[in-house]
Structures are given as structure tokens and as C-alpha cells.
Amino acid sequence: MISSNPQIEQYLTNNQNSARLLVSCPDQPGIVSTISTLLFEHGANIVESSQYTTDPSEGTFFLRIVFEADDLRNKEEAIRGSFEKVADQFSMKWTLSFLYQLKKTAIFASKDISCLRELLYQWESGDLLTDIALVISNHETGREIVESFGIPFYYIPANKDIRDEVETKQLDLLQEYDIDLIVLARYMQILTPNFVEAYPAQIINIHHSFLPAFIGASPHKRAYDRGVKLIGATSHYVTNDLDEGPIIEQDVIRVDHRNSVKDLKKKGRLIERSVLARGVKWHLEDRLIVHENKTIVFA
Amino acid sequence: MISSNPQIEQYLTNNQNSARLLVSCPDQPGIVSTISTLLFEHGANIVESSQYTTDPSEGTFFLRIVFEADDLRNKEEAIRGSFEKVADQFSMKWTLSFLYQLKKTAIFASKDISCLRELLYQWESGDLLTDIALVISNHETGREIVESFGIPFYYIPANKDIRDEVETKQLDLLQEYDIDLIVLARYMQILTPNFVEAYPAQIINIHHSFLPAFIGASPHKRAYDRGVKLIGATSHYVTNDLDEGPIIEQDVIRVDHRNSVKDLKKKGRLIERSVLARGVKWHLEDRLIVHENKTIVFA
Amino acid sequence: MISSNPQIEQYLTNNQNSARLLVSCPDQPGIVSTISTLLFEHGANIVESSQYTTDPSEGTFFLRIVFEADDLRNKEEAIRGSFEKVADQFSMKWTLSFLYQLKKTAIFASKDISCLRELLYQWESGDLLTDIALVISNHETGREIVESFGIPFYYIPANKDIRDEVETKQLDLLQEYDIDLIVLARYMQILTPNFVEAYPAQIINIHHSFLPAFIGASPHKRAYDRGVKLIGATSHYVTNDLDEGPIIEQDVIRVDHRNSVKDLKKKGRLIERSVLARGVKWHLEDRLIVHENKTIVFA
Amino acid sequence: MISSNPQIEQYLTNNQNSARLLVSCPDQPGIVSTISTLLFEHGANIVESSQYTTDPSEGTFFLRIVFEADDLRNKEEAIRGSFEKVADQFSMKWTLSFLYQLKKTAIFASKDISCLRELLYQWESGDLLTDIALVISNHETGREIVESFGIPFYYIPANKDIRDEVETKQLDLLQEYDIDLIVLARYMQILTPNFVEAYPAQIINIHHSFLPAFIGASPHKRAYDRGVKLIGATSHYVTNDLDEGPIIEQDVIRVDHRNSVKDLKKKGRLIERSVLARGVKWHLEDRLIVHENKTIVFA
């Protein structure tokens, strides 16, 4: 059951007959021709498409297509079947999203709910078109606001000593709710390789960024000591290299000599919440392909 | 003869086998399929493509494709021939640019050469990949810098009383140099409909923009009196509606209460030169299609 | 009674001995010297100060000072007394804010609560240091979230036929709560001159801005038709010239040819909420002086 | 002799009676009062002032004042004399710049003249109000453009084997031209401690910045491999810690997956030239104070 949201209901009504295709494969002549002919034969019309090739000889081919067809829902199975053959032929990795089915998102939060709040806000405003199926947190802070939207809130205390036990509970919930995307909204706990591998390119995290970088403890304090004039945020997919997964989006905000360490953290939060929301939005709109630890962003 | 520029020579060497296609036409099923099959049959590989449709039922279809093929130069005639047939079939407006041929650009300048200087700078740096074939100005200010790059400089005094005579001279030069694009780099003279119609969607202008707008005389003074906190610039194609042609690019810069009218003009120039240069760059890279007094920007 | 907010409680504790002075007056020699000597004599230390003069001969002088003194609360009366004399002498307009007293803010909202939500969020995060004393709305939409923060919510239906009656109720509430600042968070109702004059330079509004401006009905539709590449927002003090009061802050966000009228409205909301919040923040921090329908912003 | 520049001549004419004061010292009560009284007694009027204190108890006090007085030139000696006494009393570091005397700037350039060109452009436009007394380069690339402005150009080949010899020549020239500010416009050579100590807080450098930082060789290549979405630039004062001197200004520009390493370098240059120019402008306008390896920027 989806939490009630009039913006999303209207979107679903308007997009019954729309779908999005993401493809990556070794480049070779004829891919676009084959795919567009296939869609044509199913009576589908391409509304928007973007394609990019790293290198025309021996490079990798990336494609995003938005298409529409009358009575699309009844054609889903047939279209999927046709694509499977083509995908085989060209060694494609691909995802095909029919817009009548919302992606199901789980948000992981902790004590500081600034990012959680922004995601809920943008979801309510119709900017994040997804079913926020549940929120899992190791603090109770967010319960009231989450439940006010009719979204289930699960409090699961977490720390490194009980990591495996905690992740088992979390994974059970993710499976129960059939989750497509996990957003770490300043969750602050490290995930085990076991967890990360269960959701490849499906976990988005946000962290602060600085020029120069301050790796290790107290980065805001060290950025303050260094007298930086910009602080930033990076949203990225989670891999087993901590904070080193494929970058999705980055942005910065100005600071000056009058800003204390606390001010830097406050300004950091302002930019973190918008950078995270943009990353999540692009994932939900099927604009992202991961390739060799980098993202292709069909913005 | 092209003014010597090592950046451009290297670009030409690297892109002998590349071309770009821009298409707009009434949308209907099968366009992408037809074009991609055509390119495939000529042995061409699509490196990058973007497509957009205003509305899948009775909307307009827009496409930009970059493609490569071995020995492309010798295939140009055959590819153009094939496209003509397809274009007819789908009622397309289209341009096909082979990258071994640089677009030829004329810059129109006047006394304030800030925009002219930026265009020359970005051309020298290899950011604007074009043959700047000539500069026409109604002031001598820019002669020294223009000629230092080996670019011909034509001084043609201009004012509204001798407009027809001036434009005749200008049009003769544009024809002599076989010009594809005219950039009004703060040229400050109004062009007649006769002139504008000779170069549809081929003349780019820059003007200042304000929120709110200040139409008429002394806009900087009125923006100052109004206490605006941002001033902007707009680059656009020139049509016969003064300053009302299709917008290509816009940007803004912050001002504050300490800035005088003169400061607003100075800051305005900083933003005007970058907004003009981006507009010109996109045109040269075949990223712009004009449709119903708006631009599609394949950024 | 102030709604409980740990961020604000901490701020109050830390700033018991701080105050801010804002001054404007005809410029003449000796003003800074007189004021700084006065503060010195009261044992106060200037922590931060900014001064600006429009024109040293016959111009206007503007000053913002943040100062601290031990046991400041007990010196308030004496300091105010000294200032009154100096203010008289130099024909000053001035405000003196002791930070142990929060400004009391009323938010006026309507059906779209995006701006209201942002203000609440920034208040909770400690970015807006004020007592949000009440919210008045002509829709019930915001009640749940407002009351969840322990802030009183007053539903007062409004339309132009009952304007006087509505404003009487509103003015009664504003007086009852001893309000210093009114924020129109997309309130959408016009205020009468009677109302506006009761709160000079104390009412902040937000509205959309475009380059060029589209005055009158359906500006988003007309901006869409014009193909603008930026849409903006302006926060300003309310005067009796509709949307023409002194501009406090402006900002813009990019849009492109793929954005529908609805998208423009959504993106507009994103920028409106941050531009309004910055304007409110600066007012609360005593950074704004109104002069001849413009603002001096001590940023 | 100053290279002819009408913008600067007009500036000098308009500012014969203006001066700027920069002060830093241990904070204590009475500083502002003492200075403003001193200026008042010399008949000077404060046009603009900004003050900031790191911490009112045992912190450091920073002040920038712009003042005017009739016949200021003839009062210079007397005002300097008065300040010396006050400076002694409060243990101040201070600079007092009378605007009729332009700061003398030397630009150090190398093969890539993008930053040099920007500085010359902004100087000609009246944005950088200084006497560009000479340009020193270890390549001939910039000679033509520099000399076209009537500025002396010195070609001094440089590499690490002849560093001392080269710096001796450079220091002789800097002394001969009585240089106040040295701008390293992508000079690419390391300066010895001997050189750096001769010009404390008087040498400004520009370098690229990344999030995360890529320290060591080929940073653009590594930023590309990491898939960053922003690249930046930092202008800073030069100290003996390579690239670790006090940061003056930073900014970023967007890049995407389609950008090659070469594109990153090109975009990097666009942002480097504006970040360097802003840093230089602020220095020339006496807006910068260095304190504990950080800058106070009175923007």
C-alpha cells in the first residue's frame, strides 16, 4: 500500500503509458537502429532519448530512452521479451521501468533529520516520484514527521558491536517491502560488504566535501582551521570503498572568515540536503548508469 | 584562408571523420529508427545523440546526432543524398555539419570591445572552434587586437541615417567570406528586416537582463534606483522583434547596495561576455534548434 | 511563552550579553567616533561593525554594530538612554536589539505550504533565531505541521470581500502576540494600506521573478512561452506598491526547454523558499536597513 | 611611468582625496573609538568601514576603513604620524593606502597566458586598479599582448637548476620597479624561501582544486578517473608551504561524464582566471588581512 500523496496519484494517472529504458554495452554499429526499430514495431514512440559512447572504437555505449505506447501495460511482457533477445545479442546491461510502477524507496536516517525532512518535503511536493515505503532509523527523532505522512517508521538501534544482527533485521524489512532504492540520509553507520552487495548501485549516500579534502576526523574543524571559502557535498552510490563509490552529484556553498565550525556544519547541512535530493531524483528518473566506478548522468 | 590557430588545427585533425546532424519535424513513429538505420547502412557509428519531443501526439520532434565513419569525407555526398530523401518523407528541417569544415563566423563589434575580446580569447584557447573570418566594427578600437590574430578587420562607420548603405557593404563582405554565423558582440546598431531575414537563426546578440525588466532608456540607472540584487545577461538569436528573438542562454551576477550605476555596467560586462561566449559555443557545436521563437538546447 | 527549541535555548544562553545596533542618518563627521566612544564608556566591546555612506558630502550614513558587555541586561536602560541623546543630536533612525530578547515572528500562510515548511525547518535547525509566535492561514493545510512544533495555528478564511474584517482579526492577534516581524509565506492575499502602515519595514514577502519580467496574469505560462532559461525569486519588504517594495534578496534557478509550466512552478518553489528564508534570516539578524525604497544589506 | 589607461586616469582623478586603512591587533576596548576620533580630528570622513573580532575576550581585532578628506594629499604625513602613535599603543599591524598612489604590480607568467590575458583585460576595463609595472615570463608567448598595452615584458628563462640566478634577476627588477604585489599567473615555477620572505602576503598564486583533492601528479587525470562533477580553483597568498598559503578565494565549475581530461583542463582555466582576478582585485582594494594562515576578506 502506498502512502497517500495527490501529486503522485496524478503523476501515475498521467504516465500509465510511459516507460524508460537504460542500456549499457560494448559499442558496435547498429545498436540504436535495432532498439528504435524494436520499439517502432511494438507501436511505441520515443519521447526523449540520450546516448553517449565513451569511444567509438571499443568503447562503451550508454542509452536512456523514454517511450510511450497506447495500452502500454498490456504490452509490457511482450516488450520485455523482445528486449531480452536484443540484450543478449549486444551483451547489454539494461533496466526497463514502466512508470505505472513506482520505485520503492527505503530511507535510513539517524539523529540529524535534516536530509530525511528534505526528502519527505520533496516527495510531498511531487519532486521525488517514488513510494517511500518505510524509514529505518537508529534514533526516534524522525518518528513523528514520518508517521504524519502515513509512512511506517522502524526504530532499530545500531552500533558497530551489533552490526550483523542489525543488518539482518534491516535486510528482512527491505525484502518484505520489496525495496528498489535505499537512501542513506545521514545514517552515519557503516554497512557491511554483505549488505552493500545485496543492493548494487541501489544505495545512495551523502557526505560533505571540501577543497582541499580533509580525510579523517573532524573535517569541519580542519576546514575551518585552513580557512576555506567553500564547503561542499557529494552524493554517491555506496560501494565497499568507504565514501569512494561512484559520484552522482556535487555542489558547494560559500563560507567566510566569520563562520565558526558550527556555522560550517549548518551551511554544510543546507547543501547536503539539496545534493542528496538531486541524486535521489535522478536515480528515480532513471538518469544514472554506473560504469567503472563513475556515473553517466543523463541530466 | 583560416587564421592560424594550433588548437583548431589539432581539432580538425582529430575530427576528420565526424559529423553532426540536427533535425526538427512533426513527430511520428519511426523517425529514430529510419535515421539510425540510414547511418548504419553508411557505416557510420553514433557517438552521441539526444532527442526530445514536445508532445508524442502531434508534437514536434527534435534530434541531435554526432556520428563518425571511416573515410567520412568521401561519403559526404552519398550521406547527404540519403538524408534528402528521408527529410522529404518526414518533412524535416535539418542541418548536417561535417567537422572537417569549420563554420565561418563574422563578429560585429563597436567601441566597447569586452565581448569581442572574450570571443577572440576563447577562440585562441580552442573553446570556440570556428574560423573567425572577419570582424566588422563601426569603431577602430578593436583593430589592433583583431589584426594581432591575423584576422581581417573592417571599419565601417555606421549610424541610423546611413543604415542601408552600411548594410549593403556588410552583406557584401559576409557573402564574400561565405559567413555561416554573425555574432553581435555589443554592436549597438539595429539591423533592418532585410538583413535579419538573410541570416535566419544565424545572428546571435547579447543584451543585459534585469529582474524586474527595465524596458527603454537607461536600464542600469533604473535597476540601480530599484535596488536590484542581481543583474543578468541574455544571448539570443536576432529576429525582427528587437531583443525578443529566441533566448539561447541567460545568467546573472550579484550586485549590492554599494555598487554605483557604473559598477552595474562593469559587472554586467563580466556576465555578458560569458553568456555570449556560451551561446556562440553552443551554436558552433550544433546544439541549438529554433522552434516557435524558443530554442531547444542540447547542452 | 516560546515554543521549545533546544537550538534557540542554546543561542539565548550564549548571547545574554550581546546586542545589535542599526543606524541611519544624514552623514556628517564624527558619528562613528561618537557612537564608539559611547559604547566604550558603557564598557561595551564592538565585536563586528559595518558602515556605509552613500556619498560623503550630503549623503546618508548607515551603520550596523554588534557589541558585547558584561552584565549587559542590567545596562540596557542606561545604554538606551545614552543613545537617545546621540540619536537626537545626529537625527538618527535607529534600532537597538538586545539578543536575550528574541524577535517575535508571525507567519502568514495559505494552501501551498512549501515556504512555511522551509521557515519551520530552518527555525528548528537553529538557522532562524526567532520566536515563531503564531501562524495565521486562510487554509487548514499547515495546521498539523505547525502544531507539531507547539506553535499556535489560526485559521482565518480570507478573500477580498471580507478583507477589512479579516485584517481586524489578524491585527488583534499580532498585537496580542506583540509581533515584530510578519512573513508572508506565499500568503497570496493583498494587504490594505492600513495594515501595511502598521508594520513599516516589518513585513517580508516572496514572489517569483523573471527575466524579462512578465507582469500580470499567468507569469509562469508566459515565461514558458518566451523560452526563458532562468527563473527567479525576490524577497522584499511590503509597501503599498504591490510587489514594488524594497528588494532584500534575489536568486535564480536554471530551467530548460523540457520543463513544462508545471515544472517551472515546481522549480520556482525551490528557489522561492530559500530566497525567502535568507531574507527573513537577515532581518532577524538586524542586517537590513531600508532607505529610499532600497535595502542596505550588511551581509 | 604608468602605462596609459583612461579608466585608471579617471579613477585617480576621482579618488585624490581617498585613503584606506587596514588594521589588525589584539582586541581591547576603545580601538574603534580611538581611530575614529583620530580621523575626525584630521577632518576625515569615514565612507565605509568593516570590523571583525575573532573573540571579544583575548581575540584579534580586524578593521578596514575607507576615508576621505579635503586636500588629503597634504595631510598624508600628519595622518601617518598620528597613526604611528596609535598603532604603537595598541600593538597594531597596519597599512594605510592613499589612493592617489596606485599599487605597483608585477605579473609572473609562463607559456599558458590565459590568466595573464584576463588580468590585462580586467586592468584595461578598469576592474583592476593598479599600475601593472612589468610582466616577467619564462616564455615569450605573452610578449606581443603585453607590449601592445605599453607594459614592459621581461623574458627570463627559468628552471630549477638556475633558480637562484633567476630569482636574483627577478628580485632586481622588482626592486627597480618598486613592486607592491606579485601575481603568479600560472607561473609554474617554485619560489625559494628567500624570495617568498621578501614579499610576505604580497604574492598571490592560483591553483586548481578538486573535491576530493588529488595531491601529486596529474590531478586532472585523476579527477577524471574519479568521475568528479565539479572542478575548482583557489587563489592564495604564497608562503613556504607549497600551495598551502592563506586561501583568498575559491570557486567551482560543473563538469560531466562527457568531459575528457583535456576538457577538464579547459574548464579549469575558465574558473582559474576569474578566481585569480577576484583575489588580485581584493588585494588591490585593501580588502584582505592575513591572520594565522587564513585570510579575513572584507568583501
Side-chain angles (χ1 to χ4, degrees):
Chain A
M1 202 206 75
I2 294 169
S3 314
S4 155
N5 177 322
Q7 293 282 343
I8 284 177
E9 278 158 30
Q10 195 192 332
Y11 163 81
L12 289 174
T13 308
N14 294 345
N15 290 276
Q16 288 294 317
N17 289 323
S18 298
R20 296 191 203 107
L21 174 69
L22 279 180
V23 168
S24 64
C25 65
D27 198 13
Q28 58 174 280
I31 308 175
V32 173
S33 166
T34 304
I35 291 175
S36 53
T37 303
L38 182 160
L39 287 171
F40 179 56
E41 287 168 0
H42 281 281
N45 199 11
I46 298 175
V47 180
E48 193 182 333
S49 86
S50 302
Q51 181 238 316
Y52 166 71
T53 295
T54 53
D55 184 338
S57 63
E58 306 198 15
T60 306
F61 168 99
F62 303 97
L63 177 68
R64 176 183 188 259
I65 283 181
V66 184
F67 63 87
E68 299 192 4
D70 287 345
D71 197 22
L72 182 61
R73 222 156 152 162
N74 289 323
K75 295 176 180 167
E76 176 171 355
E77 204 178 336
I79 292 175
R80 285 197 184 277
S82 303
F83 261 109
E84 263 159 39
K85 283 175 210 149
V86 166
D88 250 32
Q89 179 189 345
F90 289 96
S91 308
M92 288 174 178
K93 287 190 243 175
W94 60 292
T95 62
L96 185 50
S97 306
F98 289 79
L99 272 54
Y100 73 87
Q101 286 177 307
L102 286 177
K103 283 186 176 54
K104 293 200 177 76
T105 298
I107 302 176
F108 280 37
S110 186
K111 197 174 180 183
D112 174 348
I113 64 167
S114 55
C115 282
L116 169 62
R117 192 190 295 282
E118 179 72 16
L119 295 172
L120 293 171
Y121 164 81
Q122 293 211 10
W123 171 79
E124 196 197 20
S125 307
D127 288 318
L128 296 180
L129 296 157
T130 184
D131 171 15
I132 301 185
L134 78 163
V135 173
I136 294 174
S137 178
N138 61 344
H139 279 85
E140 285 282 7
T141 336
R143 180 182 294 278
E144 188 173 356
I145 184 166
V146 169
E147 291 183 348
S148 80
F149 287 112
I151 297 169
F153 179 93
Y154 292 88
Y155 168 58
I156 305 180
N159 62 60
K160 62 182 176 173
D161 298 330
I162 54 170
R163 188 157 290 157
D164 286 348
E165 181 191 334
V166 167
E167 287 195 353
T168 302
K169 282 187 205 165
Q170 292 169 338
L171 287 165
D172 284 353
L173 281 168
L174 298 176
Q175 206 153 19
E176 180 188 329
Y177 282 94
D178 197 15
I179 290 303
D180 299 298
L181 173 68
I182 299 159
V183 184
L184 306 183
R186 297 180 56 86
Y187 176 56
M188 312 303 278
Q189 299 285 319
I190 290 168
L191 303 175
T192 68
N194 177 46
F195 190 106
V196 170
E197 280 152 22
Y199 290 92
Q202 287 170 285
I203 311 174
I204 296 179
N205 187 37
I206 181 74
H207 73 87
H208 42 66
S209 305
F210 300 94
L211 313 92
F214 300 98
I215 292 165
S218 309
H220 290 89
K221 173 68 170 64
R222 288 155 70 211
Y224 169 83
D225 290 340
R226 184 66 186 86
V228 300
K229 304 300 182 188
L230 295 175
I231 60 174
T234 297
S235 59
H236 64 96
Y237 283 115
V238 174
T239 60
N240 285 318
D241 266 339
L242 184 64
D243 291 343
E244 290 289 321
I247 295 171
I248 299 171
E249 168 64 336
Q250 304 186 291
D251 208 349
V252 295
I253 192 169
R254 291 206 165 266
V255 297
D256 68 35
H257 61 270
R258 297 170 299 182
N259 295 126
S260 64
V261 175
K262 191 176 173 187
D263 292 334
L264 262 54
K265 286 181 186 170
K266 277 190 187 179
K267 289 201 169 183
R269 276 203 298 265
L270 284 179
I271 196 75
E272 284 164 24
R273 62 182 170 121
S274 65
V275 168
L276 178 60
R278 281 207 293 280
V280 171
K281 184 178 167 68
W282 293 344
H283 180 98
L284 294 172
E285 294 174 354
D286 299 300
R287 296 184 183 280
L288 302 173
I289 299 179
V290 171
H291 176 64
E292 292 181 353
N293 208 39
K294 295 162 72 166
T295 59
I296 311 301
V297 182
F298 291 111
Chain B
M1 203 203 76
I2 294 169
S3 315
S4 155
N5 179 321
Q7 293 281 343
I8 285 179
E9 277 158 30
Q10 195 191 333
Y11 163 81
L12 289 174
T13 307
N14 293 346
N15 290 277
Q16 288 294 317
N17 289 323
S18 297
R20 298 190 202 107
L21 174 70
L22 280 180
V23 168
S24 64
C25 64
D27 198 13
Q28 58 173 281
I31 307 175
V32 172
S33 167
T34 304
I35 291 175
S36 54
T37 303
L38 182 159
L39 287 171
F40 179 55
E41 288 168 359
H42 282 280
N45 199 11
I46 298 176
V47 179
E48 194 182 333
S49 85
S50 302
Q51 181 239 315
Y52 167 71
T53 295
T54 54
D55 185 338
S57 64
E58 307 198 16
T60 306
F61 169 98
F62 303 97
L63 177 67
R64 177 184 187 260
I65 283 182
V66 183
F67 62 88
E68 299 192 3
D70 289 344
D71 196 21
L72 182 60
R73 221 158 152 159
N74 288 323
K75 295 175 179 166
E76 177 171 353
E77 203 179 335
I79 293 176
R80 286 198 184 275
S82 303
F83 261 109
E84 263 160 39
K85 284 176 210 149
V86 166
D88 250 32
Q89 180 190 344
F90 288 96
S91 309
M92 289 173 177
K93 286 189 244 175
W94 60 293
T95 60
L96 185 50
S97 306
F98 288 79
L99 272 56
Y100 72 85
Q101 288 177 307
L102 287 176
K103 284 186 176 54
K104 293 201 177 75
T105 297
I107 303 175
F108 280 37
S110 185
K111 197 172 178 183
D112 175 347
I113 63 168
S114 55
C115 282
L116 169 62
R117 194 189 294 283
E118 180 72 16
L119 296 172
L120 292 171
Y121 164 81
Q122 294 210 10
W123 171 79
E124 195 197 19
S125 307
D127 289 318
L128 296 181
L129 296 157
T130 185
D131 172 15
I132 302 186
L134 78 164
V135 174
I136 295 174
S137 178
N138 61 344
H139 278 85
E140 286 282 7
T141 336
R143 181 182 293 278
E144 187 175 355
I145 184 167
V146 169
E147 291 184 346
S148 80
F149 286 113
I151 297 170
F153 179 92
Y154 292 88
Y155 168 57
I156 305 181
N159 63 60
K160 61 182 175 171
D161 298 331
I162 53 169
R163 188 157 291 156
D164 288 348
E165 182 190 335
V166 167
E167 288 194 352
T168 302
K169 281 187 207 167
Q170 292 170 337
L171 288 166
D172 284 352
L173 281 169
L174 298 176
Q175 207 153 16
E176 180 189 329
Y177 282 93
D178 197 15
I179 291 303
D180 299 298
L181 172 67
I182 299 160
V183 183
L184 306 183
R186 298 180 56 85
Y187 176 56
M188 313 301 280
Q189 300 285 320
I190 291 167
L191 302 175
T192 67
N194 177 48
F195 190 107
V196 170
E197 281 151 22
Y199 290 93
Q202 288 170 284
I203 311 175
I204 296 179
N205 187 35
I206 181 73
H207 74 86
H208 41 67
S209 305
F210 301 95
L211 311 94
F214 299 98
I215 293 166
S218 310
H220 290 89
K221 172 68 171 63
R222 289 155 70 209
Y224 169 83
D225 289 340
R226 183 68 186 85
V228 300
K229 304 300 185 190
L230 295 176
I231 60 173
T234 297
S235 58
H236 64 96
Y237 284 116
V238 175
T239 59
N240 285 318
D241 266 341
L242 185 64
D243 290 345
E244 289 290 320
I247 294 172
I248 300 170
E249 168 65 337
Q250 304 187 291
D251 209 348
V252 295
I253 192 168
R254 290 206 166 266
V255 296
D256 68 34
H257 61 270
R258 296 171 299 182
N259 293 128
S260 63
V261 175
K262 191 175 173 187
D263 293 334
L264 262 54
K265 287 183 185 169
K266 276 189 189 180
K267 288 201 171 182
R269 275 204 298 265
L270 283 178
I271 196 73
E272 285 165 25
R273 64 182 168 120
S274 65
V275 168
L276 178 60
R278 282 207 292 280
V280 170
K281 183 177 168 70
W282 293 344
H283 180 97
L284 294 171
E285 294 174 354
D286 300 301
R287 296 185 181 280
L288 302 173
I289 299 179
V290 171
H291 175 65
E292 292 179 355
N293 208 40
K294 296 162 71 166
T295 58
I296 311 303
V297 182
F298 292 111
Chain C
M1 201 203 76
I2 293 170
S3 315
S4 154
N5 178 322
Q7 293 281 343
I8 284 178
E9 278 159 31
Q10 196 191 331
Y11 164 81
L12 288 174
T13 308
N14 294 346
N15 290 278
Q16 288 294 317
N17 289 325
S18 298
R20 297 191 203 107
L21 174 70
L22 279 181
V23 169
S24 63
C25 64
D27 197 14
Q28 57 173 280
I31 308 175
V32 172
S33 166
T34 304
I35 291 176
S36 53
T37 302
L38 182 161
L39 287 171
F40 179 55
E41 287 168 359
H42 281 279
N45 199 10
I46 298 177
V47 180
E48 193 181 333
S49 86
S50 302
Q51 181 238 316
Y52 167 70
T53 295
T54 53
D55 185 339
S57 63
E58 307 197 19
T60 306
F61 168 100
F62 304 97
L63 176 68
R64 176 184 188 259
I65 283 181
V66 183
F67 62 89
E68 299 192 3
D70 288 344
D71 197 22
L72 182 61
R73 222 156 150 160
N74 289 325
K75 296 177 179 165
E76 176 171 354
E77 205 179 333
I79 292 175
R80 285 197 185 277
S82 304
F83 260 108
E84 263 159 39
K85 284 176 212 151
V86 165
D88 251 30
Q89 179 190 344
F90 289 95
S91 309
M92 289 176 178
K93 286 188 244 176
W94 62 291
T95 62
L96 185 50
S97 306
F98 289 80
L99 272 55
Y100 73 86
Q101 287 176 307
L102 286 177
K103 284 186 174 54
K104 293 202 178 74
T105 298
I107 303 175
F108 279 37
S110 186
K111 197 173 180 183
D112 174 348
I113 63 167
S114 55
C115 282
L116 169 61
R117 194 190 294 282
E118 180 72 16
L119 295 171
L120 293 170
Y121 164 81
Q122 294 211 9
W123 171 79
E124 196 197 19
S125 307
D127 290 317
L128 296 181
L129 296 157
T130 184
D131 172 16
I132 301 185
L134 78 163
V135 174
I136 295 175
S137 178
N138 62 344
H139 278 85
E140 286 282 8
T141 335
R143 181 182 294 277
E144 188 173 357
I145 183 165
V146 169
E147 292 184 345
S148 80
F149 287 113
I151 298 168
F153 179 93
Y154 292 89
Y155 168 58
I156 305 180
N159 62 60
K160 60 181 177 174
D161 297 331
I162 55 169
R163 189 157 288 156
D164 286 348
E165 181 190 334
V166 167
E167 288 195 351
T168 302
K169 283 188 206 167
Q170 292 169 338
L171 286 166
D172 284 353
L173 281 168
L174 298 176
Q175 206 153 19
E176 179 188 330
Y177 282 93
D178 196 16
I179 291 303
D180 300 298
L181 172 67
I182 300 160
V183 184
L184 306 184
R186 297 180 57 85
Y187 175 56
M188 312 303 278
Q189 299 286 320
I190 290 168
L191 302 175
T192 68
N194 177 47
F195 191 107
V196 171
E197 280 151 22
Y199 289 93
Q202 287 170 287
I203 312 174
I204 296 179
N205 187 36
I206 182 73
H207 73 87
H208 42 67
S209 305
F210 300 95
L211 315 91
F214 300 97
I215 293 164
S218 308
H220 290 88
K221 172 69 170 63
R222 288 156 69 209
Y224 169 84
D225 289 340
R226 183 67 185 87
V228 301
K229 303 302 183 189
L230 296 175
I231 61 175
T234 297
S235 59
H236 65 96
Y237 284 116
V238 174
T239 60
N240 285 318
D241 265 339
L242 183 65
D243 290 345
E244 291 289 321
I247 294 171
I248 299 171
E249 168 66 335
Q250 305 186 291
D251 209 348
V252 294
I253 191 169
R254 291 206 165 265
V255 296
D256 68 34
H257 60 270
R258 296 170 300 182
N259 294 127
S260 64
V261 175
K262 192 176 173 185
D263 293 334
L264 262 54
K265 287 182 185 168
K266 277 189 187 179
K267 289 201 168 180
R269 277 203 297 264
L270 283 179
I271 195 75
E272 284 164 25
R273 63 181 169 120
S274 64
V275 167
L276 177 60
R278 282 207 292 278
V280 171
K281 184 177 167 69
W282 293 344
H283 180 98
L284 294 171
E285 294 174 355
D286 299 301
R287 296 184 183 279
L288 302 173
I289 299 180
V290 171
H291 176 66
E292 292 182 353
N293 208 40
K294 295 161 72 166
T295 58
I296 311 301
V297 182
F298 291 112
Chain D
M1 202 202 78
I2 294 169
S3 315
S4 156
N5 178 321
Q7 293 282 342
I8 284 179
E9 278 159 31
Q10 195 192 331
Y11 164 80
L12 288 174
T13 307
N14 294 347
N15 290 277
Q16 287 293 318
N17 289 324
S18 297
R20 298 190 202 106
L21 174 70
L22 280 181
V23 168
S24 65
C25 64
D27 198 13
Q28 58 173 282
I31 308 175
V32 172
S33 167
T34 304
I35 291 175
S36 52
T37 303
L38 183 160
L39 286 172
F40 179 55
E41 288 168 359
H42 281 280
N45 199 11
I46 298 176
V47 180
E48 194 181 333
S49 86
S50 302
Q51 181 239 315
Y52 167 71
T53 295
T54 53
D55 185 338
S57 64
E58 307 197 18
T60 305
F61 169 99
F62 304 97
L63 177 67
R64 177 184 188 260
I65 283 182
V66 184
F67 62 89
E68 298 191 3
D70 288 344
D71 196 23
L72 182 60
R73 221 157 154 162
N74 288 324
K75 295 177 180 165
E76 177 171 353
E77 205 179 335
I79 294 175
R80 285 197 185 276
S82 304
F83 261 108
E84 263 159 40
K85 284 175 211 148
V86 166
D88 250 31
Q89 179 190 345
F90 289 96
S91 308
M92 289 175 179
K93 285 188 246 175
W94 60 292
T95 61
L96 185 49
S97 306
F98 288 79
L99 272 54
Y100 73 86
Q101 287 177 305
L102 286 177
K103 284 185 174 56
K104 292 202 178 73
T105 297
I107 303 176
F108 280 37
S110 185
K111 196 173 179 183
D112 174 349
I113 63 168
S114 55
C115 282
L116 168 62
R117 194 190 293 285
E118 181 71 16
L119 296 171
L120 293 171
Y121 165 80
Q122 294 211 10
W123 171 78
E124 195 197 18
S125 307
D127 289 317
L128 297 180
L129 296 157
T130 185
D131 171 16
I132 301 185
L134 78 163
V135 173
I136 294 174
S137 178
N138 61 344
H139 279 84
E140 285 282 8
T141 336
R143 181 182 294 277
E144 187 175 355
I145 184 167
V146 170
E147 292 184 346
S148 80
F149 286 113
I151 297 169
F153 179 93
Y154 291 88
Y155 169 58
I156 305 180
N159 62 61
K160 60 181 177 175
D161 298 331
I162 54 170
R163 189 158 289 157
D164 287 349
E165 180 190 335
V166 167
E167 288 195 350
T168 302
K169 282 186 205 168
Q170 292 169 338
L171 287 166
D172 284 352
L173 281 169
L174 298 175
Q175 206 153 17
E176 180 188 330
Y177 282 93
D178 197 15
I179 290 303
D180 300 297
L181 173 66
I182 299 160
V183 184
L184 306 183
R186 298 179 58 84
Y187 175 56
M188 314 302 279
Q189 299 286 319
I190 291 168
L191 302 175
T192 68
N194 176 47
F195 190 108
V196 170
E197 281 151 22
Y199 289 92
Q202 288 170 284
I203 311 175
I204 297 179
N205 187 35
I206 181 73
H207 74 86
H208 42 67
S209 305
F210 300 94
L211 313 93
F214 299 98
I215 293 165
S218 308
H220 290 89
K221 172 69 171 63
R222 287 155 71 209
Y224 169 84
D225 289 341
R226 183 68 186 85
V228 300
K229 303 301 185 190
L230 294 177
I231 60 174
T234 297
S235 58
H236 64 97
Y237 283 116
V238 175
T239 60
N240 285 319
D241 265 340
L242 184 63
D243 291 344
E244 290 289 322
I247 295 172
I248 300 170
E249 168 65 336
Q250 304 187 290
D251 209 348
V252 294
I253 192 168
R254 292 206 164 264
V255 296
D256 68 35
H257 60 270
R258 296 171 300 183
N259 294 126
S260 64
V261 175
K262 191 175 172 185
D263 293 334
L264 262 54
K265 288 183 185 169
K266 277 189 189 181
K267 288 200 169 182
R269 275 203 298 263
L270 284 179
I271 195 74
E272 285 164 24
R273 63 181 170 121
S274 64
V275 168
L276 176 59
R278 283 206 292 278
V280 171
K281 183 177 167 69
W282 293 343
H283 180 98
L284 293 172
E285 295 174 354
D286 300 300
R287 296 184 181 280
L288 302 173
I289 298 180
V290 171
H291 176 65
E292 292 180 355
N293 208 40
K294 295 163 71 166
T295 59
I296 311 301
V297 182
F298 291 112

